[in-house]
Amino acid sequence: MSRECCGPDEPVVPVAVDSCCGSPEPLPIDDGVDLAPWWRDRALALPAASGALVAIGLVLEWRGVGVASVVIFSLALVAGARTFVPSTLKRLFTAKGRGRMGVGLLMTIAAIGAVLLGHVGEAAALAFLFSIAEALEDRAMDRARLGLRSLLSLIPETARVHRFGEEQSVSAVDVRASDILVVGAGERVATDGVVSRGRSWLDTSAITGESIPVEVGPGDEVIAGSVNGSGTLRIEATADGKDNSLTQIVRLVEQAHANKGERARLADSIARPLVPLVLVAATLIAAFGFAVGDPGTWIERALVVLVAASPCALAIAVPVTVISAIGSASKLGVVIKSGAAFERLGTIRKVAFDKTGTLTRNQPEVVETHCASGYDESQVLSLAAALEANSTHPLAQAIITSANERLEAVEVQESPGLGITGRVEGRSVRVGSPRWIDAQGLSESVASLAEQGMSVIVVEVAHRAIGVIGIRDELRPEAAEAIAHINAQGISTMMLTGDNTRTAKAIAHRAGVDEVHAEQLPADKTNHIRHSAAQVPTVMIGDGINDAPALATATVGIAMGVTGSAAAVESADVAFTGHDLRLIPDALAHARRGRSIMTGNIALALAIVAVLFPLALFGVLGLTSVVLVHELAEVVIILNGIRAARPPRHSGRQVPTESLASPLSLEASPR
C-alpha cells in the first residue's frame, strides 16, 4: 500500500518510516486487499512451473530424448532463476548488498557453472529448489503484514464529540486531543483519553488482554478500542484519532516485522563467507592457467571447482529437514509458518507468556462464597443471579452459571460501575462492589478474598450483607506441568500481563514461572520482549490483539490459534490450533532436534565441498565424478532430513500434585 506525499486526509494508521513530508507516512486502511489462495498466487507460479518442467525433463532424459530434455531443462532453469537471479544481482551491485552474499549468489554461480559444463539438468534442479523455498518464505511474510487490518476494526468509524456547545458526529480519524467524546453504552472509545464525567465499566480485553472489566470514573484513563458498559461517559481525548494506542500497536508490529526480516537464515550465514572464497579461488585458478600457458585446462578446472563447491547439498540440507519437521508438527496442531521460524524455534532459551487466555482460561468463575449466619451458598448465589440476569456486566455470567436455583427479579436498576438493585421474592436486594455496599460483618472475608486477588461482589438483602462472592480467572490445569517441562529443558520462563502486580505474582507462583512483569500495556510488553531477545533467543506466547507487537518482536512468536485474535495469529511465526500448553515444550524439543539434524546436514554438505575442492583443483576428479559424489551426498542428506519427520512426543514427566493443588490468587477490578 502506498500514498502520495502530503495527499488528502483519509483513514490512516502510522508506520515507522519517514515520508517525504518529514513525518511518519500514514498508510490507508484497505480492507479489500487479501492474500490470494496459494493456487492463485503469482509468486508461486514460476517455481511451480520450474518444478513441473524439471520433472518432464527427467522423464525425457530417461527415455533418451536428449535434445528435447535439454530444451525443457533450459525452460525450467529460466523459470526458476527468474525468481532469484535478478534480485541477487541487484543486491550484489548495491552498496548495502555487497556484504550480503548468501546462498542466492552461490546458487546463481553454481547454475552458470553447470550450464557451461553442459549439465543443464543440474542447473534447473538447483533453480527450482531455491525458488520454491524463497517463494514460500515471502508468502508467509505477506500473510503477516496483511493481518494488521484486524487491529483497525477496533477503532469505530465515527465518534460523538461535544464541540461548540453541541454534540457532533465526526470521523474517528478527525478526533483531536482535548475533544470531549460522548461514549454511550456498548460503544467503543475512539481514542485515548481521561473520563471527565460519568461512571461505568470498560471491557479492555482487546487492548490489555484482561477478561475482567475495569471500573472507571472521573479522572480515570481510558484506552482506544475499549468497549463501554452500561453507563454514558464523557471523555477528554488525550490523543488524536490517528495516533493512539491501537495505531501504536500497528506501528510496533510493522517495525518488528521489518527488523525480523533482516535476520539471516542459517544457510545464508554459513554461505556468506564461503561465497567470496569460492569466487576468489576460481578466479585464481583461471588466472594461473593463463600464467602457465594452458588456459583451457585450468579454466575447465575452475568451472569444475565451482560445481564442486556448489551449494547443491547445502541448498537441500535445510529445506528437506524443515519440510519434514514442519509437516509432522502440523499433525499435532503446531502450525509453523516458515523455515526461518522453525530454525529460530530450535534456539529458544526463554519463553514469555501472556496471562489471560494463555496461562488462564479467560473465563471468570465463582470459586469462593462466604455467607452470613442464616444463609447458605446456594441462597446467596441464587439471589445474586436473579439480579445479574438483567445485567450487562461481564462478571454477571459467572454468577448466573454458578447458581442452582433460578429466581425472578423485578424493579431492576443498574448503577454503572457500582452494582445493581432490584426486588426478589418481595425483598430489596443489592449486588455490587464493596465500595458501594458495606460488607458489615463480612468485611474480613472481603479483605481475605481481595488479598487473594479475586474480584469481590457483595450481596445485600434488606440492608443486611448476607454474602460475598469471589470471582477469578482460573489457571489452565496443564499450565504448571507445561512450564515444568520447559524448565527441565534448561529454558527460563517469564510472564507479561496487564493485570496488577499482586495478581500477576500469584499466577506466576502457581504456574512456576520464573519472572513476572505486571500492569503492562502493549508497548511495555514489546519493550520487555525486545530487551530479552537481545540477550537470549526468546519466544512470546499470546492470543490477543494486545500481544501482536510482542509476538512480532520476539525471536519467535507463538499464537494460541483457536480463540486467538486474527492479528495475534498473523503476527506470530507459529500458531497452535489448540490450547494445550503441553505442546509448547514438545514443540521446542522438536525444533531443537530438527535444528540438530539440519546442522548435521550442513556440516556434511560443507565436508563434501572441503573434500571435493582440492580433488577438483588438482584434476584428480573430473566433472562426472564430482557430480556423482554430489548426488550421493544429496541422497544421504535427504534421508537424514527425513528423520526430522518423527513427530514431537510429550515427555511424560510428572509434576508434584501439591503444586497443581496450590491456591490461585488473581486480582481483578470489580464493578
Side-chain angles (χ1 to χ4, degrees), residues 17-40:
V17 293
D18 291 333
S19 72
C20 50
C21 303
S23 60
E25 180 181 6
L27 297 178
I29 299 172
D30 184 0
D31 288 332
V33 178
D34 203 355
L35 194 65
W38 64 267
W39 61 86
R40 291 169 48 194

Side-chain angles (χ1 to χ4, degrees), residues 280-539:
V280 170
T283 302
L284 292 176
I285 292 169
F288 178 77
F290 283 99
V292 300
D294 188 8
T297 299
W298 288 96
I299 288 176
E300 182 176 349
R301 286 191 184 181
L303 292 175
V304 174
V305 164
L306 278 177
V307 175
S310 72
C312 305
L314 187 61
I316 293 175
V318 173
V320 70
T321 307
V322 168
I323 291 171
S324 299
I326 288 178
S328 64
S330 65
K331 295 177 182 178
L332 295 182
V334 181
V335 180
I336 303 173
K337 295 185 179 180
S338 68
F342 179 76
E343 292 178 34
R344 295 194 298 268
L345 191 61
T347 68
I348 295 303
R349 304 310 306 161
K350 177 178 281 190
V351 177
F353 292 90
D354 169 53
K355 179 180 73 67
T356 305
T358 303
L359 287 177
T360 63
R361 297 175 183 272
N362 198 19
Q363 295 175 350
E365 300 175 4
V366 172
V367 293
E368 200 167 337
T369 304
H370 295 182
C371 308
S373 60
Y375 288 89
D376 58 26
E377 180 178 347
S378 176
Q379 291 174 306
V380 170
L381 291 174
S382 296
L383 287 169
L387 294 185
E388 296 290 8
N390 301 278
S391 173
T392 57
H393 195 282
L395 295 185
Q397 190 58 45
I399 296 175
I400 295 169
T401 302
S402 65
N404 295 322
E405 186 179 2
R406 302 299 181 191
L407 302 178
E408 294 293 329
V410 296
E411 301 177 15
V412 177
Q413 292 184 341
E414 186 163 9
S415 300
L418 298 174
I420 190 169
T421 62
R423 299 188 67 81
V424 181
E425 296 181 335
R427 295 177 291 177
S428 173
V429 179
R430 284 202 303 169
V431 178
S433 165
R435 290 187 292 274
W436 187 49
I437 303 174
D438 185 0
Q440 302 168 9
L442 296 173
S443 297
E444 291 186 4
S445 296
V446 170
S448 174
L449 296 178
E451 184 62 30
Q452 297 177 54
M454 297 185 192
S455 293
V456 182
I457 301 296
V458 180
V459 182
E460 178 190 84
V461 175
H463 306 292
R464 179 195 175 195
I466 66 166
V468 292
I469 303 170
I471 301 175
R472 68 187 175 199
D473 189 7
E474 290 281 40
L475 189 70
R476 293 183 181 279
E478 78 280 5
E481 181 183 0
I483 291 173
H485 293 162
I486 292 171
N487 292 334
Q489 296 180 21
I491 300 173
S492 61
T493 53
M494 174 172 66
M495 185 176 75
L496 302 171
T497 177
D499 214 337
N500 64 76
T501 301
R502 183 170 56 187
T503 299
K505 288 183 176 179
I507 288 286
H509 176 73
R510 168 75 164 85
V513 175
D514 302 320
E515 179 183 347
V516 59
H517 298 280
E519 301 176 17
Q520 303 289 295
L521 292 175
D524 301 321
K525 291 184 179 182
T526 304
N527 289 334
H528 280 294
I529 291 296
R530 183 180 295 110
H531 176 74
S532 177
Q535 306 299 319
V536 294
T538 302
V539 67

Side-chain angles (χ1 to χ4, degrees), residues 235-320:
I235 299 170
E236 182 178 353
T238 57
D240 292 346
K242 295 181 180 180
D243 187 18
N244 53 51
S245 301
L246 290 176
T247 58
Q248 288 174 14
I249 289 177
V250 176
R251 184 188 304 115
L252 290 168
V253 175
E254 289 280 11
Q255 288 175 333
H257 278 304
N259 293 335
K260 186 172 288 186
E262 299 297 329
R263 295 174 181 166
R265 298 289 302 273
L266 180 59
D268 271 340
S269 63
I270 294 173
R272 188 173 295 116
L274 180 63
V275 172
L277 290 176
V278 172
L279 292 176
V280 170
T283 302
L284 292 176
I285 292 169
F288 178 77
F290 283 99
V292 300
D294 188 8
T297 299
W298 288 96
I299 288 176
E300 182 176 349
R301 286 191 184 181
L303 292 175
V304 174
V305 164
L306 278 177
V307 175
S310 72
C312 305
L314 187 61
I316 293 175
V318 173
V320 70

Side-chain angles (χ1 to χ4, degrees), residues 595-620:
R595 185 177 174 85
S596 177
I597 293 174
M598 190 188 311
T599 303
N601 276 347
I602 290 175
L604 176 58
L606 294 177
I608 294 298
V609 171
V611 170
L612 291 182
F613 187 91
L615 296 178
L617 173 62
F618 295 109
V620 177

